């Protein structure tokens, strides 16, 4: 939905769960969650709840506004710390999505990188 000028698609970006955020500080990752709150003033941040029940504060790329989307999203962004990230891109996953199952699949792919190599996102 939005993409900053310095963020290019086509590079491998690991899909992670909230419990993995601390291992990727400063890195660019993909993470899925359910939108639980949107900044109503300037739409410059959203709060996501992950499949592990963790709520993350996610800032929107400078100059962009988060389009109001109901349900679940996968975000691509840079990890600031284990509780927040800067979002450069997001995609709607619809209103009926199993975050727990998604997180389990992500954990399995991380556990067996030789079988599940990272692909460009």
């Amino acid at each position: 939905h939005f993409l900053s000028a310095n963020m290019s698609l086509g590079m491998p970006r690991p899909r992670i769960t909230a419990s993995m955020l601390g291992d990727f500080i400063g890195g660019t990752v993909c993470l899925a969650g359910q939108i639980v709150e949107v900044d109503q003033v300037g739409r410059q941040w959203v709060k996501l709840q992950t499949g592990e029940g963790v709520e993350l504060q996610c800032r929107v790329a400078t100059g962009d506004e988060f389009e109001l989307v109901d349900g679940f999203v996968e975000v691509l962004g840079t990890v600031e710390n284990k509780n927040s990230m800067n979002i450069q891109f997001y995609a709607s996953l619809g209103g009926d999505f199993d975050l727990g199952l998604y997180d389990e699949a992500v954990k399995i792919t991380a556990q067996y990188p030789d079988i599940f190599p990272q692909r460009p996102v």
Side-chain angles (χ1 to χ4, degrees):
H1 278 130
F2 49 81
L3 188 64
S4 70
N6 63 358
M7 174 68 66
S8 64
L9 295 176
M11 302 271 310
R13 310 288 186 202
R15 283 188 165 85
I16 66 167
T17 65
S19 61
M20 298 174 184
L21 281 167
D23 297 331
F24 290 91
I25 294 174
T28 303
V29 299
C30 292
L31 179 93
Q34 182 174 20
I35 299 169
V36 293
E37 188 177 347
V38 177
D39 170 22
Q40 294 300 313
V41 176
R43 289 188 264 191
Q44 295 299 303
W45 58 265
V46 297
K47 195 174 282 187
L48 293 180
Q49 184 171 29
T50 69
E52 296 170 321
V54 175
E55 285 192 1
L56 302 175
Q57 185 84 10
C58 299
R59 281 193 282 193
V60 176
T62 305
D64 292 314
E65 285 188 359
F66 195 89
E67 189 178 307
L68 293 176
V69 176
D70 287 331
F72 301 91
V73 293
E74 183 174 57
V75 297
L76 172 70
T78 305
V79 179
E80 285 188 337
N81 59 52
K82 60 183 184 172
N83 297 314
S84 67
M85 35 186 317
N86 289 320
I87 303 173
Q88 284 84 30
F89 179 81
Y90 68 95
S92 175
L93 299 174
D96 185 23
F97 189 81
D98 189 333
L99 282 175
L101 188 57
Y102 174 94
D103 280 359
E104 287 304 312
V106 168
K107 289 175 186 175
I108 290 169
T109 61
Q111 186 177 358
Y112 300 102
D114 293 339
I115 298 172
F116 303 105
Q118 295 295 321
R119 301 275 190 244
V121 174

